[in-house]
Amino acid sequence: MIYASGLLMCVGPFSGLVGWVYVPGSVYRSPEIYRKLKDDILSDNSTALEQLSSVWKYKRRPKMPKPCPNSTVSSRLGLTSESSHLIPTGYLIVEANGGLNQQRSAICNAVAVAGLLNAVLVIPQFEFHAIWKDSSTFGDIYDEDHFISSLEGYVKIVRDVPDEIMTRFNYNMSSIPTIRVQAWATVNYYNGEVYPLLKEHGVIRISPFANRLAMSVPPYIQLLRCIANYNALKFSSPISTLAEKLVDRMVEKSSETGGKYVSVHLRFEEDMVAFSCCLYEGGRAEKSEMDVIRQKSWKGKFKRRDRVIRPDLNRVNGKCPLTPLEVGMMLRGMGFDNNTSIYLASGRIYQPEKHLAPLQEMFSRLYTKESLATPEELAPFEGYSSRMAALDYTVSLLSEVFVTTQGGNFPHFLMGHRRFLFGGHAKTVIPDKPKLVLLLQNMDVRWEVFKKEMKLMLGESDRKGVMVPRVRKINRKTSIYTYPLPECECIFHLSSNFSATGNIQNLGALHPTSNLMSTARL
């Protein structure tokens, strides 16, 4: 799927070559605009946001939470706990692939499928991928004991397939029946195609398992996704401990803004720039470098003869990652001044010395996990992209303002988690990139005009932050992971750690991380 999305993002039909004309906004001229407006930007504090807590105006209309639907299989069959303990159909093994949050999606879906099939779920295995290069296991990322205990009474979880089952397959995992399930498979598909095989063999593997369950499922199955995502998946102790320290340090460095800070998911890493098929200001040398990276990581996927790469259209259509400079100009235009503390959630930025310099000019209080943690603290995480992403996820989750600059599972899961914590508001800046690239190519634009447009963009992000889609489509943009309310709201009452004061210290992936945690719902 990542290949397919990349191709759709980067290429168009060969006929696109015919009549190839200039399109406004298609050329990267942001550095020229910045040089022109730099003095105005750096000297302007007239529209600074006095308090970060005043950024968000819209409120979600409170509703009386409904009780959770009964998600036990026995209840769906009309059985009582006193009369019968339903015997599990068999053991379900899944392999989760991708990065941190694609794996997270697979885990939550696996819990839901196990509940649907009345199966015992084996702790999911993580597939090693050449792009992410992370050999972490489930227990390296998440707290296994918490995962198992949180789902008790809903779905039974075991660490390994029992010996009596494995002996039938000579302890060879590849001998276990493996099923390829269609993408976005419906409940009827699982009941009609998968359940009989599970019942026959007593154990099955589903591989791959990315996006293998439809978004639209019965409420008692949807609830299992909610419990898995917001209650059962808590980061492991090494991750949680360091994440707690990073959040506390960001709070300390944000004293002038009441301990509140902005987090930016900056997707301007080398591989993302290459994958996007966008061009910036590096000319032929940059293009050649990106061609080499694409060939190395994705082989010939971007060299089909009947296709042509259109960086200009990618930029106009908002498909290009924002540069650090563009993020800085946007935030200064919205009213965030040089006293604002910013946390960059990112891998290694492409040509960091060059591209981070203007952002640091606009925001001197710029931090990363590398600058907040000591080399000794970060050493156990080096070389493990998912563990690093988990640190970024937690620090971003607890920021007052989250800024997303490119699509992907990370921002969609994070926006959903923030809606879950902050009363239904994502508190997320979602740039209107097609509009932004037009402004950043207009050499006649004045700073006052640019600021006005950025204020409107911030207001639109505020409005959309409390919206709930009327129709759940199959993609992640309208999924329960991005819009968890109202379906997941009832699970606050399932956690013994949740109290009337809103203290959700140990709910889901959260760990006691500073005073922000206990006030996240206030």
Side-chain angles (χ1 to χ4, degrees):
M1 290 188 70
I2 195 170
Y3 291 156
S5 63
L7 289 170
L8 289 173
M9 183 187 299
C10 290
V11 299
F14 186 78
S15 59
L17 284 173
V18 181
W20 193 339
V21 296
Y22 166 77
V23 181
S26 60
V27 179
Y28 178 68
R29 301 186 68 180
S30 301
E32 298 174 62
I33 300 292
Y34 177 62
R35 286 192 291 269
K36 176 177 178 287
L37 300 177
K38 180 177 176 179
D39 290 342
D40 292 331
I41 294 173
L42 299 184
S43 63
D44 183 12
N45 288 310
S46 61
T47 58
L49 297 164
E50 294 181 0
Q51 295 182 347
L52 287 185
S53 57
S54 68
V55 173
W56 310 113
K57 310 297 183 185
Y58 283 83
K59 304 289 183 183
R60 179 173 175 264
R61 187 174 300 172
K63 296 181 180 179
M64 183 66 67
K66 297 180 180 179
C68 290
N70 192 328
S71 66
T72 60
V73 176
S74 58
S75 70
R76 306 304 300 179
L77 297 179
L79 303 175
T80 66
S81 57
E82 296 178 356
S83 63
S84 173
H85 288 287
L86 201 63
I87 299 175
T89 309
Y91 292 84
L92 175 63
I93 303 169
V94 301
E95 294 183 1
N97 59 342
L100 176 70
N101 289 287
Q102 186 169 319
Q103 290 173 342
R104 190 184 187 96
S105 172
I107 295 166
C108 297
N109 288 340
V111 170
V113 169
L116 174 65
L117 301 177
N118 185 33
V120 176
L121 177 64
V122 181
I123 289 284
Q125 301 171 352
F126 289 169
E127 178 184 294
F128 182 83
H129 197 283
I131 294 178
W132 285 276
K133 297 181 176 68
D134 192 324
S135 59
S136 297
T137 64
F138 185 99
D140 293 323
I141 306 294
Y142 300 107
D143 184 329
E144 285 190 2
D145 291 335
H146 182 82
F147 183 70
I148 293 171
S149 63
S150 296
L151 290 164
E152 188 175 353
Y154 296 94
V155 173
K156 183 176 180 180
I157 312 292
V158 296
R159 288 182 170 83
D160 301 292
V161 180
D163 285 345
E164 58 265 29
I165 298 291
M166 291 304 297
T167 53
R168 290 167 40 200
F169 301 96
N170 296 320
Y171 290 90
N172 187 349
M173 190 68 72
S174 62
S175 298
I176 293 175
T178 300
I179 304 173
R180 293 189 68 86
V181 173
Q182 65 186 33
W184 310 110
T186 64
V187 167
N188 289 338
Y189 177 91
Y190 275 101
N191 285 333
E193 302 292 332
V194 180
Y195 180 80
L197 292 173
L198 177 62
K199 191 173 182 180
E200 176 185 353
H201 297 287
V203 59
I204 58 172
R205 293 171 66 217
I206 302 180
S207 179
F209 197 71
N211 304 317
R212 288 307 187 266
L213 179 63
M215 288 300 172
S216 179
V217 295
Y220 75 101
I221 297 299
Q222 202 75 288
L223 174 65
L224 294 178
R225 280 172 160 159
C226 296
I227 296 173
N229 194 31
Y230 300 114
N231 195 349
L233 287 177
K234 184 177 77 169
F235 289 133
S236 64
S237 180
I239 292 173
S240 297
T241 300
L242 182 55
E244 176 182 356
K245 292 178 181 178
L246 298 184
V247 172
D248 285 340
R249 289 166 192 173
M250 278 303 301
V251 171
E252 290 172 7
K253 293 179 181 298
S254 308
S255 57
E256 290 194 20
T257 50
K260 299 181 182 296
Y261 58 92
V262 175
S263 62
V264 178
H265 186 223
L266 190 58
R267 294 309 317 273
F268 202 69
E269 302 99 340
E270 185 179 81
D271 61 336
M272 180 52 67
V273 174
F275 185 75
S276 70
C277 303
C278 297
L279 291 178
Y280 293 91
E281 57 178 338
R284 291 180 179 272
E286 179 186 304
K287 182 181 182 303
S288 298
E289 183 182 6
M290 295 298 108
D291 286 341
V292 170
I293 295 170
R294 280 191 287 268
Q295 181 62 23
K296 180 180 178 181
S297 299
W298 295 281
K299 307 305 178 185
K301 296 293 182 178
F302 295 101
K303 289 191 173 183
R304 291 173 52 179
R305 292 182 179 180
D306 61 337
R307 302 285 178 172
V308 59
I309 292 176
R310 291 294 303 268
D312 56 337
L313 295 186
N314 291 345
R315 182 166 176 80
V316 169
N317 292 327
K319 302 297 184 182
C320 292
L322 292 182
T323 65
L325 181 151
E326 291 171 327
V327 172
M329 291 185 66
M330 177 184 72
L331 292 178
R332 286 303 292 261
M334 289 177 174
F336 298 93
D337 69 3
N338 197 34
N339 290 322
T340 305
S341 294
I342 293 183
Y343 178 83
L344 287 186
S346 176
R348 178 174 170 78
I349 300 299
Y350 175 56
Q351 297 182 352
E353 295 80 8
K354 171 183 176 181
H355 290 293
L356 284 176
L359 179 59
Q360 289 173 321
E361 284 182 329
M362 289 180 272
F363 294 97
S364 58
R365 300 181 181 186
L366 196 63
Y367 306 100
T368 63
K369 53 186 173 292
E370 289 82 5
S371 66
L372 291 172
T374 66
E376 293 74 22
E377 289 174 325
L378 214 53
F381 299 83
E382 294 289 351
Y384 297 99
S385 59
S386 290
R387 300 182 207 184
M388 288 288 205
L391 296 175
D392 282 340
Y393 187 96
T394 305
V395 181
S396 298
L397 179 64
L398 298 176
S399 62
E400 180 63 24
V401 179
F402 171 63
V403 182
T404 176
T405 62
Q406 187 74 350
N409 286 301
F410 186 102
H412 286 294
F413 265 83
L414 195 65
M415 284 189 286
H417 213 147
R418 289 169 65 81
R419 284 187 171 99
F420 185 78
L421 287 184
F422 301 128
H425 201 313
K427 294 189 175 184
T428 298
V429 173
I430 306 174
D432 182 344
K433 291 200 283 186
K435 177 180 181 180
L436 190 59
V437 297
L438 287 173
L439 288 168
L440 291 174
Q441 195 180 319
N442 180 7
M443 292 302 296
D444 296 323
V445 69
R446 293 181 294 109
W447 178 235
E448 291 300 323
V449 173
F450 186 85
K451 282 199 304 181
K452 180 180 178 181
E453 295 297 331
M454 293 303 100
K455 288 287 188 182
L456 292 174
M457 195 178 294
L458 177 60
E460 185 66 4
S461 292
D462 187 12
R463 185 183 70 84
K464 289 182 177 180
V466 297
M467 291 177 61
V468 176
R470 294 180 180 178
V471 178
R472 299 282 190 184
K473 299 179 181 178
I474 66 169
N475 60 34
R476 65 190 173 207
K477 292 183 178 180
T478 57
S479 77
I480 197 168
Y481 303 125
T482 307
Y483 294 94
L485 304 180
E487 289 91 337
C488 297
E489 200 160 25
C490 72
I491 73 169
F492 278 106
H493 305 284
L494 297 179
S495 174
S496 60
N497 296 300
F498 181 72
S499 68
T501 61
N503 188 344
I504 51 174
Q505 290 185 8
N506 207 27
L507 189 61
L510 303 179
H511 186 78
T513 50
S514 85
N515 60 328
L516 287 179
M517 186 63 65
S518 61
T519 58
R521 290 276 295 181
L522 300 181

